[in-house]
Amino acid sequence: MRVFVVRHAHAGDRERWQGDDRQRPLSEKGRGQAAGLVRLLAEAEVGRILSSPYLRCVQTVDPLARAVSVRVEPEPLLAEGGDWREVLKLARDAMVPTVLCSQGDVIGDLVIDLVAQGLVQPSEARAQKGSTWDLDIEDGRIVAVAYLPPPDA
């Protein structure tokens, strides 16, 4: 089973945004990265897409959802400040190829755990905006991991 953990695409500068941060949208660069996600995962036969309810996360996976005719499911466990262990549980419990779109803090903690498990080299631990971690899961265990850099915007 493949699960793709996506960090939301570029959404501009948090300090310059004057509204509720949960409503901060993607930048032009981020919209290009979201379009690139469609190309990146076109062959993955994605059957489910869960996203942090933050607008920038939903906007990151919306083009993919439309391309594969799957509804984006808001998932509060993927929101900023969430527990990476809950994200790992969502990944391990996936029944179809799934995309999980989350925030940098949650994904950063997940990547630290992947390093601790020996699945990622410390020098390769990263979570750029718009990037994806491709997790190969067998019998509820992560058996392989690949980092996919952000698509060209």
Side-chain angles (χ1 to χ4, degrees):
M1 182 63 51
R2 289 176 75 191
V3 175
F4 303 92
V5 180
V6 176
R7 181 171 180 197
H8 69 78
H10 189 269
D13 187 354
R14 179 186 302 254
E15 285 75 36
R16 297 176 93 174
W17 176 251
Q18 295 186 352
D20 181 344
D21 191 55
R22 294 172 294 190
Q23 295 302 315
R24 183 162 43 102
L26 294 181
S27 64
E28 184 176 335
K29 176 181 179 178
R31 289 189 299 275
Q33 289 173 328
L37 189 62
V38 176
R39 294 185 302 275
L40 185 68
L41 300 181
E43 305 296 320
E45 299 181 13
V46 171
R48 191 170 186 208
I49 300 175
L50 287 80
S51 174
S52 160
Y54 284 42
L55 180 60
R56 57 191 173 269
C57 289
V58 174
Q59 288 180 329
T60 297
V61 292
D62 185 60
L64 176 64
R66 284 186 275 122
V68 299
S69 300
V70 172
R71 180 178 67 87
V72 176
E73 301 173 46
E75 176 50 72
L77 294 172
L78 295 167
E80 194 168 280
D83 186 336
W84 63 271
R85 289 173 287 257
E86 296 294 335
V87 176
L88 190 56
K89 182 174 180 349
L90 289 171
R92 288 180 172 155
D93 292 346
M95 302 299 287
V96 297
T98 300
V99 171
L100 305 173
C101 187
S102 190
Q103 322 277 149
D105 63 332
V106 177
I107 294 173
D109 289 344
L110 175 63
V111 172
I112 289 170
D113 182 66
L114 296 174
V115 169
Q117 291 183 53
L119 294 164
V120 174
Q121 295 300 315
S123 62
E124 296 173 357
R126 59 183 75 90
Q128 292 175 280
K129 290 180 181 175
S131 66
T132 302
W133 282 96
D134 179 355
L135 310 179
D136 187 3
I137 300 174
E138 292 180 10
D139 298 322
R141 288 183 37 250
I142 300 172
V143 296
V145 176
Y147 177 77
L148 309 174
D152 292 331

